Amino acid sequence: MSRKTRQQPPRRAPEGKPGGTPADRLLRAWLDQDDEAFVEQAEELIARGRDGVLSTALRKLTERYEEDAVEDFIRALGEIAEVAESGPDFDMAQLLLLPVLATGTLPDPAPLATGLAASGAFPAEAEIAFLAGWRSAEAIGGLPPVALRRVLLDVVAGRPPEDLPPPEAATLEEGSIAVLVGAVVFRAPAPADAPEVDLESLDALAEAKSAASFEAFEDWRAALTPEQTGNAMILALCAPSELADEIRSLIEEPGEAAIEEILDFVEAARQESGGEPIAARLAAQDGGVAVTVLTEAGRVLDSRVFGDGEEAALDIEAVRDALDGEVAIIEA
């Protein structure tokens, strides 16, 4: 389980002197697209508990940039905070959430945690630990990066986190989102740390494991009975940085999340075009839409199928309407 690739906000050209406060240096690394420096500095600040510095950097960014850029910055810090490496008794650990939509009294979380840990959804070498009891999605979504890291270390150590106490029962009433909070812990270094491992083979194995993990989770979720779930809606496993997107998917129209993903996909391809005009070729495919982005000269930049396998099929007309005015469309 590697750290996720974070979204990139609008950036500026490098400027200014290399000095300044820790908040200035962190913000400069972010705006200059120096991801290595940004991750290194953010990790140090989070590990040292420097929430004040992070807050100052966030305030300065908020004063100069739009809301979307600020959200990307917050998400990037969260992605760093929810993963810890080289701990005192582990090689890597990552926070894990199982969100549920309450439709009545929440079920006993212990059997769900035990069943999920044994479901085959995680690598055999991983240790899975969950906190006792439910937490509110609102509470974990409001944790600053330093507190989020402390929660992760508490889960790994098997102690109740002071930053995330169990909520009052009344706050998890019908219609609210509750979460089981856990961690995936690797006590020993991953095989990638061994120099004799072929990286291409390792990537293929990781991809296969990912597909198998998804299938195992879906099989576990499908086998749950109403008695086990209390008729709550079990959502997909996610990290804290993904929780807002998971909740948002509950209230969006079918296919809306996929449309947003397609727009981001096309924009990412545009950035790889070297300034050449681009076009998108659309084709309906098994309940989804295949989107291929290519340059005016015919060079394929990227291709992907969206919506394939989702409960609500993605309508190719909806994709065409969303891309109208954004990019030239080629009929397949």
Side-chain angles (χ1 to χ4, degrees):
M1 300 179 70
S2 60
R3 181 171 289 131
K4 299 179 291 300
T5 302
R6 55 186 174 83
Q7 298 294 319
Q8 302 290 345
R11 305 290 184 92
R12 60 155 172 82
E15 62 181 35
K17 298 180 180 180
T21 67
D24 290 335
R25 292 195 294 272
L26 179 69
L27 196 55
R28 186 181 302 113
W30 172 255
L31 295 172
D32 290 350
Q33 303 187 46
D34 188 346
D35 290 346
E36 183 177 352
F38 174 78
V39 171
E40 181 180 348
Q41 293 176 40
E43 172 60 34
E44 180 181 0
L45 293 170
I46 291 168
R48 294 174 58 193
R50 302 291 300 277
D51 246 338
V53 175
L54 299 177
S55 297
T56 299
L58 178 60
R59 175 180 54 78
K60 292 184 176 185
L61 187 69
T62 303
E63 292 172 351
R64 301 166 56 187
Y65 287 87
E66 299 292 334
E67 182 179 352
D68 287 349
V70 175
E71 288 180 356
D72 282 340
F73 182 75
I74 294 172
R75 184 185 181 106
L77 291 176
E79 289 178 358
I80 295 169
E82 66 198 16
V83 178
E85 298 178 354
S86 303
D89 60 350
F90 63 88
D91 181 66
M92 196 275 280
Q94 180 175 16
L95 274 172
L96 175 75
L97 306 179
L98 178 68
V100 304
L101 173 62
T103 57
T105 303
L106 284 167
D108 181 359
L112 292 177
T114 301
L116 179 55
S119 67
F122 305 101
E125 63 272 21
E127 176 184 316
I128 313 301
F130 283 97
L131 295 177
W134 297 102
R135 285 353 186 238
S136 74
E138 183 179 4
I140 196 163
L143 290 175
V146 170
L148 198 63
R149 174 62 63 82
R150 284 196 298 260
V151 169
L152 170 59
L153 297 179
D154 286 339
V155 175
V156 174
R159 56 179 177 256
E162 294 183 4
D163 295 284
L164 196 63
E168 297 291 336
T171 65
L172 294 181
E173 58 190 9
E174 183 173 353
S176 63
I177 303 291
V179 291
L180 273 178
V181 179
V184 182
V185 187
F186 294 87
R187 300 293 181 182
D193 293 342
E196 67 274 11
V197 173
D198 178 71
L199 294 181
E200 290 187 4
S201 298
L202 187 64
D203 287 343
L205 178 61
E207 185 174 343
K209 281 187 176 181
S210 177
S213 295
F214 176 79
E215 184 176 347
F217 172 77
E218 290 299 321
D219 289 345
W220 170 79
R221 180 164 59 173
L224 292 173
T225 66
E227 290 74 24
Q228 291 173 305
T229 65
N231 291 312
M233 180 185 296
I234 309 297
L235 306 182
L237 287 169
C238 64
S241 60
E242 300 166 331
L243 182 59
D245 289 340
E246 188 63 30
I247 295 172
R248 192 178 298 117
S249 69
L250 290 174
I251 58 178
E252 290 178 335
E253 293 295 326
E256 186 174 334
I259 293 293
E260 289 296 325
E261 194 173 0
I262 290 171
L263 290 171
D264 291 341
F265 172 78
V266 170
E267 184 57 34
R270 190 193 308 276
Q271 294 175 8
E272 298 294 328
S273 69
E276 294 183 61
I278 65 170
R281 183 169 62 233
L282 309 180
Q285 182 172 326
D286 297 331
V289 177
V291 181
T292 301
V293 183
L294 58 162
T295 67
E296 193 174 56
R299 177 168 61 96
V300 174
L301 298 169
D302 207 346
S303 183
R304 183 175 163 190
V305 177
F306 294 85
D308 185 28
E310 294 183 355
E311 291 184 7
L314 184 60
D315 182 17
I316 191 171
E317 293 301 326
V319 176
R320 186 178 287 107
D321 289 344
L323 292 178
D324 185 34
E326 298 290 334
V327 65
I329 299 175
I330 301 174
E331 298 299 330

